[in-house]
Amino acid sequence: MRNNIFPVFSCILIILICFVISEANHQADNLYTLLRSKRSKNGPLVTSYHTELEGSDAANAHQYYVEAQEGLMEADRIKALPGQPLEGVDFKQYAGYVRVDPKAGRALFYYFVESPKKSSSKPLVLWLNGGPGCSSLGYGAMTELGPFRVNSDGKTLFRNNYAWNNVANVIFLESPAGVGFSYSNTSDYHRNGDKVTAEDAYTFIINWLERFPQYKSRDFYIAGESYAGHYVPQLAYTILLNNKNKNQTFINLKGIAIGNAWIDDATNTLGLVDYLWTHALNSDETHEGVITHCDFVNEDNSTKQCDNFIVKALEEMGEIDFYHIYAPLCINPTLKNSSTVGSVHEFDPCSDYYVEAYLNKPEVQKAFHAKLGTKWTACTRFNWTDSPTTILPIIKNLMASGIRLWIYSGDVDARVPITSSRYSINSLKLPIKTGWRPWYTNNEVGGYVAAYEGLTLVTVRGAGHVVPSYQPERALTLVSSFLQGLLPPSKP
């Protein structure tokens, strides 16, 4: 039987779209659409995960497609990206397609950047953006943790000195098919959902490792944000299941990190409501009305007044950026003719528009080895086929497997706020190993950290929903610590 989602979603999601001034296809906007669809009769199938990793033979139930990859690595090599800085590009970069389903003609697009120094000794990280349906190239690579960002002219690039390829070799994957440059020749996008996304991403990895065999034994990590709170744990779970199958490529998975991640419908929405109130975005009376009349687990227990109080709460919030409640809005998205170089220390709220203009240039698509003439957009809307109400059972299994698991949170995001992450973690009732404390970057508090048995929670001070966009230096400290298996620095 389908688990019901509380009625507050129907109003919450419609009203939020009206009150948030942002790029129309923001990855969190797609999250609104998915959660709202869970309330409808034709919404996605709510699946659950009960299979234990130990003793499971689930890996034998699916045969994954693998094809020869000889010569394709060098064919994917990027000589230079249009508009990239003339000096200082001291790393190799690759891009192209990996087929994941030859019958349907499904192919996933990737962008890969090696580390400038000692790349052969550094781990491999796969980055996934959320949505569902949003691009890891447009967001992760071009506005967050990649080596370049796009200037306001939509034509030229500037370096991100805090790119994650300083500490790892990083793959940005546009997933599932239909997102960004990824495609299906049979237009079978109606199949997209959590299950297909995990299976296709796994197929991508085992084929990519055939194309780049030098990385087969490398320590492997997966990171992502937003709805990647579903993508990343599900993919990690799929890898661990298939690692038990001697006929499949063994992937040396060491850990996962998910940021401002949607992992549990009930606790995440309660955390959202509480965050609005504790950050002075609505009144005491309205918050009390929401808590009194809305049940965030069982919709049958909510009253008719619930929706009215939700509407009032969001009206009181006003027109702000819901993904960074203190950030300026993009007032004028028009491209600038100025050749002024951007700064990673001052994130431009109109960056999404610059990236879209850049990735739709024919010369850029050619350099990336993408299908020429593709109308690239940051996010694609799908009728999502399946989505669990909670990922916590998978997280429990991943913790039991012994891999490293971090949940991090920019503390000024209201879409999936720190309160949501804390409520989800608290529901697991984990023993505390290291109590709450500050951590430091460049002689300043970068955020706070608490280590539990099997899981670490890290906050990033002053960061919104897309942490590396707003706090790139702190984000680099965070991922460096994660990859080393150390808590972030406890002293300035």
Side-chain angles (χ1 to χ4, degrees):
M1 175 180 287
R2 182 189 304 277
N3 293 326
N4 291 320
I5 305 303
F6 25 89
V8 9
F9 273 147
S10 57
C11 276
I12 246 181
L13 303 174
I14 294 171
I15 300 297
L16 282 182
I17 292 171
C18 296
F19 276 79
V20 178
I21 306 299
S22 69
E23 169 64 28
N25 284 328
H26 194 283
Q27 61 180 334
D29 293 337
N30 275 29
L31 179 58
Y32 299 151
T33 303
L34 173 67
L35 297 179
R36 185 177 59 187
S37 75
K38 284 185 176 183
R39 288 266 307 137
S40 71
K41 293 181 180 179
N42 298 318
L45 175 66
V46 175
T47 56
S48 60
Y49 292 79
H50 301 291
T51 304
E52 297 294 332
L53 287 170
E54 292 299 323
S56 172
D57 61 355
N60 297 318
H62 190 97
Q63 294 298 318
Y64 290 91
Y65 169 76
V66 181
E67 68 178 354
Q69 303 288 331
E70 286 85 0
L72 295 181
M73 179 184 76
E74 193 55 36
D76 287 351
R77 177 81 177 269
I78 296 173
K79 295 180 180 179
L81 290 175
Q84 75 177 36
L86 297 177
E87 298 179 356
V89 181
D90 51 354
F91 57 90
K92 293 179 181 179
Q93 47 186 337
Y94 302 81
Y97 291 96
V98 172
R99 288 201 300 178
V100 296
D101 186 339
K103 291 182 180 180
R106 293 167 73 88
L108 300 185
F109 181 85
Y110 79 93
Y111 173 51
F112 175 52
V113 288
E114 289 190 320
S115 189
K117 297 180 180 179
K118 299 180 179 179
S119 64
S120 62
S121 63
K122 288 184 174 144
L124 180 64
V125 173
L126 175 70
W127 174 265
L128 301 172
N129 275 86
C134 295
S135 167
S136 299
L137 175 64
Y139 283 111
M142 306 304 287
T143 69
E144 298 186 64
L145 55 125
F148 304 114
R149 292 190 183 176
V150 183
N151 284 311
S152 59
D153 60 6
K155 300 177 182 178
T156 57
L157 306 174
F158 65 98
R159 282 297 296 270
N160 172 14
N161 294 327
Y162 304 106
W164 287 14
N165 74 322
N166 283 304
V167 294
N169 305 285
V170 186
I171 310 170
F172 301 92
L173 176 64
E174 291 195 304
S175 174
V179 174
F181 292 124
S182 295
Y183 67 89
S184 169
N185 287 331
T186 53
S187 298
D188 58 346
Y189 305 133
H190 62 279
R191 295 180 55 239
N192 284 342
D194 282 21
K195 185 174 184 292
V196 166
T197 300
E199 290 178 349
D200 280 1
Y202 177 78
T203 304
F204 166 85
I205 294 168
I206 58 178
N207 279 276
W208 189 92
L209 289 173
E210 294 297 320
R211 189 173 299 189
F212 291 80
Q214 67 270 33
Y215 285 96
K216 277 191 174 182
S217 61
R218 201 73 59 90
D219 287 354
F220 182 64
Y221 297 86
I222 316 172
E225 68 194 11
S226 196
Y227 196 74
H230 279 225
Y231 290 166
V232 172
Q234 289 168 334
L235 177 56
Y237 186 82
T238 302
I239 290 172
L240 292 178
L241 283 178
N242 282 282
N243 276 351
K244 297 167 65 67
N245 187 339
K246 295 180 180 180
N247 295 324
Q248 295 285 10
T249 300
F250 182 86
I251 298 173
N252 194 21
L253 179 65
K254 294 296 185 180
I256 67 171
I258 47 178
N260 293 84
W262 192 268
I263 55 177
D264 181 76
D265 290 356
T267 55
N268 287 179
T269 303
L270 176 60
L272 184 159
V273 170
D274 282 352
Y275 188 89
L276 298 183
W277 176 60
T278 56
H279 286 73
L281 299 177
N282 56 40
S283 65
D284 293 351
E285 296 77 16
T286 299
H287 180 261
E288 182 63 27
V290 172
I291 296 301
T292 301
H293 296 286
C294 299
D295 189 314
F296 297 100
V297 177
N298 187 347
E299 69 171 12
D300 294 332
N301 293 334
S302 289
T303 68
K304 292 182 179 179
Q305 291 94 329
C306 172
D307 284 355
N308 294 332
F309 278 107
I310 290 293
V311 171
K312 188 174 182 182
L314 296 167
E315 287 175 342
E316 291 174 347
M317 186 176 66
E319 296 181 353
I320 64 172
D321 185 342
F322 205 57
Y323 316 115
H324 186 315
I325 61 174
Y326 305 124
L329 302 176
C330 177
I331 303 300
N332 181 9
T334 304
L335 297 181
K336 316 297 190 298
N337 292 322
S338 171
S339 59
T340 302
V341 176
S343 169
V344 293
H345 297 288
E346 297 177 4
F347 184 69
D348 190 326
C350 298
S351 292
D352 290 354
Y353 295 95
Y354 312 153
V355 171
E356 183 168 355
Y358 182 78
L359 292 178
N360 278 295
K361 292 186 175 302
E363 63 271 27
V364 172
Q365 294 185 359
K366 183 178 180 180
F368 271 117
H369 310 126
K371 288 183 68 175
L372 295 179
T374 300
K375 173 57 180 174
W376 185 94
T377 57
C379 296
T380 304
R381 292 285 170 86
F382 297 113
N383 291 321
W384 210 244
T385 59
D386 63 287
S387 175
T389 58
T390 182
I391 298 296
L392 291 176
I394 296 182
I395 287 177
K396 288 180 181 179
N397 282 332
L398 295 177
M399 289 191 298
S401 76
I403 69 168
R404 194 173 307 151
L405 201 160
W406 282 28
I407 296 176
Y408 67 92
S409 180
D411 62 10
V412 291
D413 172 36
R415 174 57 266 180
V416 190
I418 178 59
T419 43
S420 294
S421 297
R422 295 178 84 170
Y423 286 163
S424 295
I425 292 171
N426 289 343
S427 72
L428 297 174
K429 302 185 185 303
L430 302 173
I432 297 174
K433 294 174 61 179
T434 302
W436 188 270
R437 67 158 174 82
W439 60 271
Y440 291 84
T441 294
N442 196 23
N443 296 319
E444 292 186 338
V445 172
Y448 300 86
V449 60
Y452 300 86
E453 192 68 47
L455 183 152
T456 298
L457 172 66
V458 185
T459 77
V460 182
R461 190 165 68 93
H465 191 69
V466 285
V467 168
S469 294
Y470 298 106
Q471 294 293 339
E473 185 174 6
R474 292 171 184 174
L476 182 59
T477 298
L478 181 152
V479 74
S480 299
S481 301
F482 166 69
L483 294 175
Q484 294 175 58
L486 303 172
L487 296 183
S490 60
K491 297 180 181 180

